[in-house]
Amino acid sequence: MALLVSTTINGDHVEFACEPDETLLDALRNRVGLTGVKEGCGTGDCGACSVQIDGRLVCSCLVLGAEAEGREIETVEGMADGATLHPLQQKFLEHAALQCGVCTPGFLIAAKALLEKNPDPSEEEIRFGLAGNLCRCTGYDKIVRAVQDAAKEMRGA
Amino acid sequence: MEYTAPETVKAAVALLAKAKGSAYVLAGGSDLLVRMKGGFIEPDLVVDIKRIKAMREVKKTATGFSIGAAVPCAALGENKALVKAWPGVVEAANLIGSKQIQGRCTITGNLCNAGPAADSVPALVAAGAKAVIQGPKGKRVVPVEQVPVGPGKTSLKKGELVESIQLPARKPRSGDAYLRFIPRSEMDIAVVSAGVNLSLDAKGVVTDARVSLGAVAPTVLLVPAAAKALIGSKLDDAALEKLGAAASAACRPIDDKRGTIEFRTKVAAVLAKRAAKIAYARAGGK
Ligand SMILES: Cc1cc2nc3c(=O)[nH]c(=O)nc-3n(C[C@H](O)[C@H](O)[C@H](O)COP(=O)(O)OP(=O)(O)OC[C@H]3O[C@@H](n4cnc5c(N)ncnc54)[C@H](O)[C@@H]3O)c2cc1C
Ligand code: FES
Ligand code: FES
């Protein structure tokens, strides 16, 4: 029997119906139409499905859709302010920190969560902070540079 | 499958107790959902404990700390008093998976999943932590090492769940530490691990100690002989040698692609010694 879930996604009130054993990842993609969240592995290893729930970074493939009831969810679709990209998005473009782009939404959300907790992370802190996100294209270096540059801009430095 | 998210411990126990078929507690889901999606289990009922307010809190109590069963490991690292009192427990909890996993996973789930290589469990065992269990027959409190009884198996009875983990109050001059060996620098399963917790007198002599090992037996081991090697010492080389020998002697590991019996047995001694040195320094010993 499908459950009716009432939640907030990127600041908007959203209701969706999902099966009790359906993941939040599937519910976001197939019921809500937010396809920024990607499924890489489905087992918590790749981070392509990263979202924030009540401010905490999680893998949406390891969350049930039903758990979203009454929570606040943030996805990559909520990062830009209208036509203005979030500094992280802008710097990912400038630094060519993506190739195929499948990992990018997850990296952006994970980097956003990292900078919210630590506005001035060292390279090591960035690499550990993003260790739950896998990229098969870039070799990570450009991602780390983009995050460093975005962090600098966000600090107003 | 039915999903339910009760708001009280009592309601959760009642749901689990009267469930027909297979019923599972859902904490962070980082083990449960992986097993569900892999087709290893097909729950009839999932009881999500994250709506139970009392289970979402870390409390400082007269007897130490009480960590609710639904508190994600990330929140432990954000609790300054807890980090100060039990740095080893917190560092173990914050080694689990990635930031994403730590945003969800709990030390209670780590314990109840009953994996021999669970990272937070040796640290909890060394700390002398207790599990508060609620069930249809009321409450019971057991040392955490009595919860897992074999790979994937716990001593919890039908209808029972862990409500919280209790960490004891700290004596002055106490410290703990946890170390694991993995071939990568993060996101891997411990091949061997060790936890040490100790207290010193004013002269820096070890008065109490607890030593634990992970991934070298079907369950996490408490190794009293290893602790005994430290008590009465200032962690001199002879005491450390005895500690290492006792740790190796306690190992009953498996041989697999992640590590041979010989490797695990040897590294258990190395990690126990290193963890003891860190715990000693944290306790203020020189
Ligand atoms: C990508 C990834 C990386 C990982 N890396 C590590 C690692 O480095 N180290 C490590 O130790 N583990 C690791 N794990 C395993 C897992 O994250 C941990 O074991 C975690 O602590 C489980 O906690 P949870 O709250 O998510 O448990 P859940 O999945 O919610 O529950 C685990 C089990 O315990 C039971 N349970 C949970 N809470 C209770 C309770 N209160 N009372 C009774 N039973 C309960 C559940 O029914 C289930 O059987 C990893 C997992 C993933 C997906
Ligand atoms: S799809 Fe969720 S972590 Fe890979
Ligand atoms: S850009 Fe292709 S996986 Fe990262």
Side-chain angles (χ1 to χ4, degrees):
Chain A
M1 197 188 66
L3 301 167
L4 195 63
V5 179
S6 167
T7 187
T8 303
I9 304 178
N10 300 325
D12 297 330
H13 177 76
V14 174
E15 284 186 9
F16 61 83
C18 72
E19 294 300 322
D21 61 355
E22 188 171 328
T23 63
L24 179 60
L25 168 65
D26 286 341
L28 286 172
R29 288 183 60 86
N30 305 333
R31 312 264 182 190
V32 188
L34 292 175
T35 52
V37 279
K38 307 293 180 202
E39 176 162 28
C41 63
T43 51
D45 294 288
C46 77
C49 64
S50 297
V51 300
Q52 284 173 293
I53 302 183
D54 291 346
R56 279 219 189 281
L57 181 67
V58 305
C59 295
S60 62
C61 70
L62 296 185
V63 178
L64 294 175
E67 294 183 61
E69 177 68 36
R71 307 280 190 218
E72 291 195 12
I73 296 169
E74 287 168 76
T75 72
V76 71
E77 285 89 346
M79 280 181 75
D81 183 6
T84 312
L85 293 179
H86 186 282
L88 278 162
Q89 293 172 308
Q90 188 60 42
K91 294 299 174 189
F92 266 59
L93 284 176
E94 285 172 19
H95 287 263
L98 62 147
Q99 288 176 29
C100 79
V102 166
C103 68
T104 312
F107 267 103
L108 287 169
I109 285 286
K112 172 173 166 285
L114 172 73
L115 298 185
E116 281 166 4
K117 294 227 155 63
N118 182 357
D120 190 9
S122 66
E123 173 165 352
E124 193 181 355
E125 285 169 334
I126 293 173
R127 287 189 185 269
F128 269 103
L130 300 179
N133 295 80
L134 300 183
C135 175
R136 301 295 277 176
C137 301
T138 64
Y140 301 102
D141 240 53
K142 291 180 171 177
I143 293 175
V144 174
R145 303 297 157 238
V147 174
Q148 284 174 318
D149 203 9
K152 197 168 151 202
E153 183 174 309
M154 288 164 72
R155 289 194 308 275
Chain B
M1 185 190 106
E2 192 191 337
Y3 167 87
T4 140
E7 289 181 3
T8 63
V9 178
K10 219 173 141 187
V13 168
L15 283 162
L16 290 167
K18 72 163 200 279
K20 293 189 186 73
S22 61
Y24 289 87
V25 172
L26 169 65
S30 59
D31 284 312
L32 193 70
L33 263 65
V34 173
R35 282 199 288 146
M36 269 168 62
K37 291 171 69 182
F40 300 105
I41 52 169
E42 276 183 44
D44 294 304
L45 175 70
V46 164
V47 179
D48 183 357
I49 58 173
K50 292 188 295 297
R51 306 267 164 185
I52 303 173
K53 209 163 160 268
M55 282 199 179
R56 294 189 63 98
E57 295 169 352
V58 179
K59 276 182 289 196
K60 204 158 182 218
T61 65
T63 52
F65 286 90
S66 172
I67 300 172
V71 175
C73 288
L76 303 182
E78 292 160 8
N79 187 311
K80 290 204 175 73
L82 185 68
V83 174
K84 189 158 183 276
W86 293 102
V89 170
V90 175
E91 74 197 347
N94 287 336
L95 279 175
I96 297 176
S98 56
K99 290 281 179 280
Q100 284 89 337
I101 300 298
Q102 287 152 25
R104 290 270 289 173
C105 71
T106 63
I107 52 174
T108 308
N110 202 214
L111 179 70
C112 295
N113 194 55
D119 277 309
S120 70
V121 179
L124 291 172
V125 168
K130 293 197 164 73
V132 178
I133 298 168
Q134 292 282 3
K137 289 187 182 140
K139 176 170 127 177
R140 61 192 181 99
V141 182
V142 305
V144 287
E145 55 270 30
Q146 288 176 19
V147 175
V149 292
K153 287 207 177 65
T154 69
S155 56
L156 297 177
K157 299 188 190 76
K158 184 170 163 75
E160 283 191 330
L161 55 75
V162 176
E163 180 180 32
S164 65
I165 301 286
Q166 308 285 326
L167 287 168
R170 263 334 208 166
K171 291 182 195 163
R173 294 180 297 275
S174 295
D176 69 329
Y178 171 79
L179 292 173
R180 68 173 178 182
F181 174 83
I182 55 172
R184 310 177 66 216
S185 54
E186 76 295 299
M187 290 286 278
D188 209 345
I189 303 165
V191 180
V192 196
S193 64
V196 175
N197 172 34
L198 45 75
S199 300
L200 313 177
D201 68 12
K203 292 191 185 115
V205 175
V206 178
T207 54
D208 299 289
R210 284 171 70 91
V211 178
S212 60
L213 296 173
V216 294
T219 60
V220 169
L221 298 178
L222 177 67
V223 190
K228 220 176 128 202
L230 299 177
I231 294 170
S233 83
K234 283 187 168 180
L235 231 68
D236 47 87
D237 288 348
L240 286 171
E241 276 319 301
K242 266 198 226 160
L243 164 72
S248 287
C251 294
R252 290 177 272 125
I254 53 166
D255 226 343
D256 70 2
K257 63 170 195 262
R258 307 181 51 76
T260 60
I261 290 174
E262 193 189 359
F263 179 81
R264 287 186 154 108
T265 307
K266 190 165 176 193
V267 175
V270 176
L271 293 182
K273 288 192 264 188
R274 288 185 191 164
K277 284 189 192 163
I278 297 170
Y280 190 75
R282 284 177 176 166
K286 286 182 191 87

